[in-house]
Amino acid sequence: MKNVSGAMSFVMMDGKTHQLFNIVENRQLDPLCDYFLRYPRKVREQVCLVVSDFYTPYRTLVKDYFPNALIFADRFHISQRIGRTFTNHRIQMMKSFRKSNSRSKNI
């Protein structure tokens, strides 16, 4: 990571064969747009499905550069988000129990 321009890279793989296509050093929108503009529009129109995490610029990229593609969140990030949501709700509930218990003691 010390030799790349961005903090994180963009990894492209074939979802069926798990074969690595390429790695772009920077996952920010501008470098990705520059990278995908190297491919003719006809080639980009053949992409029908993109699976990624919840990184917002990917939605913009897919909409603008892959007009026929649908974008889906990957299973790992969906389950991670569900887990974090449950944890946050559990913590909020536990905090509310502490407050309600302290009030009942003062009565």
Side-chain angles (χ1 to χ4, degrees):
M1 290 304 297
K2 293 179 182 177
N3 298 332
V4 298
S5 58
M8 297 186 108
S9 298
F10 181 83
V11 179
M12 290 173 278
M13 296 181 73
D14 183 310
K16 291 180 183 174
T17 65
H18 303 283
Q19 182 133 6
L20 180 68
F21 283 142
N22 203 351
I23 299 173
V24 180
E25 287 183 356
N26 190 330
R27 76 175 192 149
Q28 294 174 333
L29 188 57
D30 288 340
L32 290 177
C33 291
D34 292 342
Y35 175 83
F36 286 112
L37 279 175
R38 298 187 317 187
Y39 295 93
R41 182 170 175 86
K42 285 215 180 259
V43 171
R44 290 184 279 119
E45 287 175 347
Q46 294 174 8
V47 175
C48 56
L49 179 66
V50 174
V51 180
S52 75
D53 60 14
F54 292 102
Y55 186 55
T56 305
Y58 292 161
R59 285 182 282 186
T60 303
L61 179 77
V62 172
K63 244 194 278 184
D64 293 347
Y65 291 86
F66 303 96
N68 298 322
L70 299 174
I71 187 165
F72 289 92
D74 65 277
R75 289 183 293 186
F76 170 78
H77 287 92
I78 290 172
S79 61
Q80 184 182 50
R81 183 164 288 187
I82 290 169
R84 284 182 183 161
T85 301
F86 277 126
T87 299
N88 290 338
H89 284 297
R90 181 187 58 78
I91 290 169
Q92 288 174 351
M93 290 299 292
M94 295 301 289
K95 286 179 179 179
S96 73
F97 287 145
R98 282 190 215 139
K99 290 177 184 174
S100 65
N101 285 341
S102 65
R103 288 183 190 148
S104 64
K105 290 178 184 178
N106 294 332
I107 295 178

